Amino acid sequence: MSDPLHNEFAPDSIEARSLRHLINPNSNLADVKRQGPKVHVRAKGVYIWDNHGKQYIEGLAGLWCTALGYGVEELAQTAKSQMEEMAYSQLFTGITNEPSVRLAEMLMELVPIDSGKVFFGLSGSDANDTQVKLQWHYSNLIGAPARKKIISRWQAYHGVTVVSGSLTGLPPFHKNFDLPIAQVKHTNSPFYYREAQEGETEEEFTTRLANNLEELIQEEGPETIAAFIAEPILGAGGVIVPPDGYYEKLQRVLKKHRIHFIADEVINGFWRTGETFGCQTMGIEPTTMSIAKALSSAYLPISAVVIPDFMFDVFERATEETRMFGHGFTYSGHPVAAAVAVRNLELMKEWDIATNVAKMTPLFQERLASYEDHPLVGNTRGRGLLGAVELVKNKETREPFEPSLGIGAHCMARCREHGLISRAVAGDSLAFCPPLIITADQIDEIFSKFDLALADTLKFVNALDS
C-alpha cells in the first residue's frame, strides 16, 4: 500500500526513494516527511540547480565549506590523478604518503603555532573529538590525571559526536541524546546583543564574562580543567562576533590557570573572517587548532588537528613504554583527500583569495548593516565574508519571536523560493557565508533576493498579528 503522504511524488522519483531510505541529518524529520526533500543535481561556481531546473545562488557555501565554489576542474583532476596513482594508503604503523606530508607542511606554514604536528581526520566533529582525547591523554602522561574537564560555551557549535556534541552548546544537540557528558562544562556565550544586562557596556560585559569564567574554574577546581574550546566567531549558534577585549580578558584567566586554548577554526579558517584564521582576526593565541571545511573546499572529507611540539613530544616519549599511540581513523591522511586539499590551498594562493575577501568584505558587511533599519531586524553582525541578520518581534525591546512560529525557518524558505540559499540558525537569525570567490555583482544578487524574502516574511508576520 502506498503512503498517502508520498502521493505527490512518483514512486520511482528521487524524492520518494529518499523518503523511503534516507535519514536527513540536522533536519525536522516530520517536516521532511510532510513536505518531501529538496533535490540538488548540479552546481557550478556560486550557483546550484535543483531537479526542476531552478537555479539558486549559494549564500552559505554549502555548509560554510565550499570556499572555492563548485565545479573546480583542477580539484576534480587532482582527485582523478591521485586515485589512478594510489587510491588509498593508511597512516597506521608508521606508513606515510606524499599528499599527507605536503598538506601537513602547508598547514604548519599557515597556522599561528610556531612548531607542531598535524593529525588528519574526516570532519570537524572528529577533529574536536580528537582534541578532547589528546587533552585527556596529555593530562594522564604528565601526571595530572584530574585535568580532564573541557570548558565550552553556550551557543557554540563544535560537532555532533558524543564528545563534540557535548562541547556544542545548543539544546537540540543535547536533548534526548544524554548529552553533555560530565567532563564538559559550559560558560557564557559572548553574545552582547542577547546576553548583556540592562545598561551594561561592552567593556562591563566582557569583564563579567571573564569573571564568570574564573568563578566556574574555581568552582570546578583549576586542577581539574584541561582546556577551553572556542570558535573565534561562533557559527551555527548565530554568527556571534565577541566584543573587543573579550578574548584578551579570557586568555588572561586561562593562562593564569595553565589551561589550554583549543581554537575551533572549522568555519573561521582560510580567510573567511579576513585573516588567514579566525584566531588572528580575534586576537587569540591558540594552544591547538581544529581545521576542516574550507581545507578542501568540501570536495572531499578531511579535517586536521594541529598540536604544538610540547604535546607531541610527551606522546612520542610515552610510546617507548606503551608501544603505540592508540588513536587514528582508517581514513586518516587519505591520499586522495589530502591531495585535493593541497591543490585547494594552492588555488587559494593562485587565485589570491585573500585579496578578493579584502575587496568584497566592505560591500558584504555594508549590505548586512543596511538591514538594521528594517522593522523585522533587531541586529546584524559579521566579519569578513561571514554574517547574520537577526529577526525579532520588537526592535526596541529585542523581544524574540515565539520559537514555535518558526519565523527564521519561514524566511529561509522564502529565500529559497527567490533563488537564494541561506540558513536559519539559532534565534531566528539568517546566516550568510558565500563562497570566497564571490563577486560584487553576486553579493548584490544575494541581498536583492534576501530583500524579497524579508518583504515576504514581514507580510507573514503582519498577517499573524491581524
Side-chain angles (χ1 to χ4, degrees), residues 346-366:
E346 290 174 344
L347 288 174
M348 285 185 168
K349 184 176 182 179
E350 292 171 20
W351 295 359
D352 201 1
I353 289 298
T355 296
N356 193 60
V357 172
K359 287 181 177 178
M360 295 301 108
T361 289
L363 175 60
F364 180 81
Q365 293 298 333
E366 181 182 333

Side-chain angles (χ1 to χ4, degrees), residues 339-410:
V340 168
V342 166
R343 187 65 186 127
N344 176 67
L345 295 184
E346 290 174 344
L347 288 174
M348 285 185 168
K349 184 176 182 179
E350 292 171 20
W351 295 359
D352 201 1
I353 289 298
T355 296
N356 193 60
V357 172
K359 287 181 177 178
M360 295 301 108
T361 289
L363 175 60
F364 180 81
Q365 293 298 333
E366 181 182 333
R367 290 300 299 268
L368 273 176
S370 71
Y371 294 104
E372 289 279 357
D373 294 331
H374 191 280
L376 277 184
V377 175
N379 182 245
T380 65
R381 48 194 180 265
R383 289 287 179 89
L385 293 181
L386 180 64
V389 174
E390 181 165 346
L391 310 183
V392 296
K393 183 176 182 179
N394 187 305
K395 288 175 68 76
E396 300 302 320
T397 65
R398 305 184 181 184
E399 179 186 359
F401 287 102
E402 179 64 35
S404 62
L405 294 175
I407 300 301
H410 178 87

Side-chain angles (χ1 to χ4, degrees), residues 310-331:
F310 77 80
M311 290 182 68
F312 177 80
D313 291 346
V314 171
F315 300 157
E316 184 179 52
R317 286 195 299 270
T319 59
E320 295 284 2
E321 178 182 342
T322 64
R323 310 306 301 165
M324 184 173 68
F325 172 67
H327 181 64
F329 307 112
T330 300
Y331 300 120

Side-chain angles (χ1 to χ4, degrees), residues 51 101-102 149 336 383:
N51 58 333
V101 172
R102 180 66 188 124
K149 296 172 186 173
V336 182
R383 289 287 179 89

Side-chain angles (χ1 to χ4, degrees), residues 148-444:
K148 296 295 170 59
K149 296 172 186 173
I150 311 293
I151 298 177
S152 183
R153 299 176 295 186
W154 296 117
Q155 291 185 264
Y157 180 84
H158 297 293
V160 296
T161 64
V162 170
V163 172
S164 65
S166 295
L167 298 173
T168 289
L170 297 166
F173 297 91
H174 293 169
K175 188 176 177 61
N176 298 325
F177 288 105
D178 291 348
L179 301 180
I181 60 174
Q183 295 97 323
V184 173
K185 307 298 175 184
H186 291 86
T187 191
N188 305 82
S189 165
F191 193 5
Y192 179 75
Y193 177 73
R194 280 288 168 210
E195 302 298 327
Q197 296 174 353
E198 186 173 355
E200 191 173 40
T201 66
E202 287 192 354
E203 175 70 22
E204 292 166 339
F205 174 71
T206 55
T207 297
R208 177 167 62 85
L209 265 56
N211 290 339
N212 287 351
L213 176 61
E214 174 70 41
E215 290 174 8
L216 175 61
I217 292 169
Q218 293 297 340
E219 180 181 325
E220 296 294 330
E223 73 284 354
T224 71
I225 312 295
F228 172 82
I229 187 169
E231 306 161 272
I233 294 173
L234 290 76
V239 188
I240 298 165
V241 183
D244 291 344
Y246 168 78
Y247 283 117
E248 180 183 357
K249 293 173 183 177
L250 254 62
Q251 287 179 103
R252 282 202 294 266
V253 174
L254 299 174
K255 289 177 181 178
K256 171 185 172 183
H257 297 293
R258 297 182 296 112
I259 294 170
H260 293 168
F261 195 126
I262 303 169
D264 181 345
E265 293 276 0
V266 171
I267 287 175
N268 285 220
F270 303 105
W271 296 280
R272 172 58 62 186
T273 64
E275 300 288 343
T276 312
F277 290 99
C279 288
Q280 292 145 316
T281 300
M282 301 305 293
I284 295 168
E285 298 177 11
T287 311
T288 67
M289 297 172 66
S290 294
I291 298 167
K293 293 192 184 289
L295 176 57
S296 69
S297 285
Y299 277 66
L300 283 174
I302 189 168
S303 65
V305 168
V306 182
I307 65 170
D309 282 339
F310 77 80
M311 290 182 68
F312 177 80
D313 291 346
V314 171
F315 300 157
E316 184 179 52
R317 286 195 299 270
T319 59
E320 295 284 2
E321 178 182 342
T322 64
R323 310 306 301 165
M324 184 173 68
F325 172 67
H327 181 64
F329 307 112
T330 300
Y331 300 120
S332 289
H334 192 292
V336 182
V340 168
V342 166
R343 187 65 186 127
N344 176 67
L345 295 184
E346 290 174 344
L347 288 174
M348 285 185 168
K349 184 176 182 179
E350 292 171 20
W351 295 359
D352 201 1
I353 289 298
T355 296
N356 193 60
V357 172
K359 287 181 177 178
M360 295 301 108
T361 289
L363 175 60
F364 180 81
Q365 293 298 333
E366 181 182 333
R367 290 300 299 268
L368 273 176
S370 71
Y371 294 104
E372 289 279 357
D373 294 331
H374 191 280
L376 277 184
V377 175
N379 182 245
T380 65
R381 48 194 180 265
R383 289 287 179 89
L385 293 181
L386 180 64
V389 174
E390 181 165 346
L391 310 183
V392 296
K393 183 176 182 179
N394 187 305
K395 288 175 68 76
E396 300 302 320
T397 65
R398 305 184 181 184
E399 179 186 359
F401 287 102
E402 179 64 35
S404 62
L405 294 175
I407 300 301
H410 178 87
C411 189
M412 178 176 68
R414 297 312 300 165
C415 285
R416 188 173 182 89
E417 185 65 27
H418 291 292
L420 166 64
I421 295 176
S422 179
R423 184 181 175 190
V425 291
D428 289 326
S429 294
L430 277 296
F432 296 92
C433 178
L436 301 181
I437 60 170
I438 200 82
T439 67
D441 287 345
Q442 290 164 347
I443 288 174
D444 283 337

